[in-house]
Amino acid sequence: MKIVKGMLVALTLGAVSFGAFSAELLTKEAYNDHKDEYVKVGTITTSGETSPSDAKEELSKKADELGGKFYVVTSADTENKIHGTADVYNKK
């Protein structure tokens, strides 16, 4: 029983710590207020997502893959499926 409980605690902590390293969504206002603190590392897109939370998760994952810590959504379209574009940044 102790082994199962230990494994559950380890998995839970692993999930929490993994989420702590995800790229953070910045609003355009927050970016514009402090844009001299950021350096752009790329642009990412997502398409075919069915919900805003799925699109946000996909953009965050792609920002992580580029090594970015922050992303700012630059465009979004929700006609049939969600399509979004974002710029990815790190702090200087």
Side-chain angles (χ1 to χ4, degrees):
M1 186 66 170
K2 284 185 176 182
I3 293 172
V4 172
K5 187 176 180 181
M7 288 174 55
L8 288 174
V9 169
L11 288 171
T12 302
L13 290 175
V16 170
S17 65
F18 175 74
F21 295 108
S22 295
E24 180 181 333
L25 171 64
L26 287 180
T27 64
K28 288 182 183 181
E29 294 80 17
Y31 169 74
N32 287 332
D33 288 346
H34 302 281
K35 62 182 165 186
D36 58 323
E37 297 177 20
Y38 299 99
V39 58
K40 186 175 177 180
V41 296
T43 301
I44 54 177
T45 62
T46 186
S47 61
E49 303 302 331
T50 56
S51 73
S53 61
D54 289 345
K56 181 179 174 183
E57 184 179 328
E58 181 70 16
L59 288 171
S60 180
K61 179 182 174 187
K62 287 185 174 189
D64 289 343
E65 290 170 357
L66 276 179
K69 301 296 180 200
F70 307 93
Y71 65 100
V72 178
V73 175
T74 56
S75 69
D77 181 16
T78 58
E79 280 190 35
N80 290 329
K81 297 215 178 197
I82 297 173
H83 171 81
T85 303
D87 290 332
V88 180
Y89 298 91
N90 278 327
K91 287 232 176 185
K92 288 184 179 178

